[in-house]
Amino acid sequence: MDTEQEDMSPETALDKDPFQMTVEDVYDMSHVIGKDLMKISKEARGVTDLVADLQFKIVRVLEVLETLVNQSSLATEEMKMERDNLKGELERLVKESPQADQ
Amino acid sequence: LNIPRKEKDFQGMLEYKKEDEPKLIKNLILDLKPRGVAVNLIPGLPAYILFMCVRHADYLNDDQKVRSLLTSTINGIKKILKKRGDDFETVSFWLSNTCRFLHCLKQYSGEEGFMKHNSTRQNEHCLTNFDLAEYRQVLSDLAIQIYQQLVRVLENILQPMIVSGMLEHETIQGVSGVKPTGLRKRTSSIADEGTYTLDSIVRQLNTFHSIMCQHGTDPELIKQVVKQMFYIIGAVTLNNLLLRKDMCSWSKGMQIRYNVSQLEEWLRDKNLMNSGAKETLEPLIQAAQLLQVKKKTDEDAEAICSMCNALTTAQIVKVLNLYTPVNEFEERVLVSFIRNIQMRLRDRKDAPQLLMDAKHIFPVTFPFNPSSLALETIQIPGSLSLGFISRV
């Protein structure tokens, strides 16, 4: 179970900085948009088909967003690990190297 | 000018080849994450897809295929709950989808009693060849099982928070000055120096509630879950009160009443005042009042007896016996006063029970909840990896 969900309201996902976004935020957005669409099709029965069409286009857009967010956070994570590895390596080399330029 | 409509009007059915059935169960049930773009945007989507597959098998008049699909579906749900049955999100997800599937089987059964809220188009989508009433019974039993599992999971999560958050943690400084917990403060962490507070409990309730809402759980079912959670909180708190001398003082009574009022505010906030959840706290509320009222005169005894109608005689006497004055303005309860109470309650025919059964589960019901969703508009999102099934 999560302990770090600061604000429970899924609506806040829409206010986030795109570069801080996680896939969880994308799922929250899905929920929020889904609720709105459901409200529309309940109140305006005549346009259900149009709303449904739009709904699945939005699903597609969010799937794309999910993939991109996932990929970019993975890439960042990889780069961070690589950077930390290199840092460690550098420190090790500096320590081990005989103090050549005394 | 006429804009041409879609190349094809769909009938709201889904077709798959028999040999693809295991793949269908795998992708739609076993491997499906309870949180994702498609299932969050359209809660209940797996249930609708499964039902649309049933519809096509029914349309083909293929009883073998219907039977096989329903059996695999039920086994698939059982399997995922065995594997991930301690995860609240997974259990909640399959509880709401099992209920939705059950609602679909009713809504489109062709039985008039279930068709009252259908549109004409929805009525055209009813099953035509098979009566699946027996499978509905099996699914309803499965839903009961999942519900009980959900209660066990949330109980395991709440249990360690309750005594600490409801009884031990002091949110009121001293005896008089009420210093609220900062319930609304977003920054406080779930555990305050490693101990749980009322705030931790409220956050946990928020998490549970939010997950169930995102899964599109029936509002009537959410109410029952919340009532069950409140019962657990009340029973565990009261039982600890009855077992610990250091919990029976005037100021603990004050503390409990404050905590209960915060829980009530949570119910009001979530529009759950009619869930019956508040009523399950009644024994605890009365025990807290008992800690606070005067305990000396004949009139006091009479007042206690009429106030504590949700507590057993054993519980009332126990609280009075454990009662410990915290300051010089309070006095111990005299033995003669307790005798007085016992005499007055002699004719009450109540159970000799001291502790509440904290494991008790209220029987659950799943009232029929038809959906206005139009099956013919459902498409299969790419992220579900169900490219091998096609719309009919």
Side-chain angles (χ1 to χ4, degrees), chain B residues 9 24 35 52 77-78 98 101 103 113 137 142 153 158 168 170 200 207 219 272 299 303 314 333 339 351 392:
Chain B
D9 262 330
L24 172 70
R35 212 163 141 69
M52 288 160 74
I77 297 173
K78 283 184 179 165
T98 304
F101 190 50
H103 294 323
Q137 190 53 52
L142 177 62
V153 174
L158 281 177
E168 291 170 347
E170 305 262 340
S200 331
T207 305
L272 289 164
E299 289 79 52
V333 183
R339 287 273 151 72
V392 176

Side-chain angles (χ1 to χ4, degrees), chain B residues 75-114:
Chain B
N75 289 338
I77 297 173
K78 283 184 179 165
K79 200 165 166 188
I80 184 71
L81 287 169
K82 203 162 178 189
K83 206 171 131 203
R84 313 225 38 210
D86 51 358
D87 174 45
F88 183 85
E89 214 168 8
T90 303
V91 182
S92 161
F93 183 75
W94 282 108
L95 177 60
S96 71
N97 275 288
T98 304
C99 285
R100 180 44 62 200
F101 190 50
L102 185 59
H103 294 323
C104 282
L105 288 174
K106 288 179 177 168
Q107 182 170 8
Y108 298 102
S109 62
E111 292 169 38
E112 260 175 58
F114 293 126

Side-chain angles (χ1 to χ4, degrees), chain A residues 1-2 6-8 10 24 26-28 30-31 33-34 42 45 49 52-53 55-56 59 62-63 66, chain B residues 5 33 35-37 40-42 119 157 186 204 206-207 210-211 213-214 372 377-379 381-383:
Chain A
M1 201 86 270
D2 61 286
E6 272 307 304
D7 197 318
M8 290 309 300
E24 291 297 310
V26 181
Y27 302 153
D28 279 346
S30 299
H31 170 64
I33 297 172
K42 227 172 238 163
R45 282 202 160 234
D49 281 6
D53 245 16
Q55 187 176 40
F56 285 95
V59 169
L62 287 166
E63 283 172 355
E66 178 194 23
Chain B
R5 284 255 331 134
K33 285 192 301 170
R35 212 163 141 69
V37 164
N40 267 44
L41 198 102
I42 308 158
S119 66
I157 296 169
R186 300 287 186 195
Q204 195 56 59
N206 272 332
T207 305
S210 160
I211 290 174
C213 288
Q214 295 208 25
S372 60
T377 64
I378 290 205
Q379 300 170 30
S383 53

Side-chain angles (χ1 to χ4, degrees), chain B residues 4 64 72 131 163 180-181 327 343-344 388:
Chain B
Q64 189 49 47
S72 305
D131 176 6
V163 175
T181 36
N327 59 36
M343 286 294 281
R344 287 169 183 277
F388 55 90

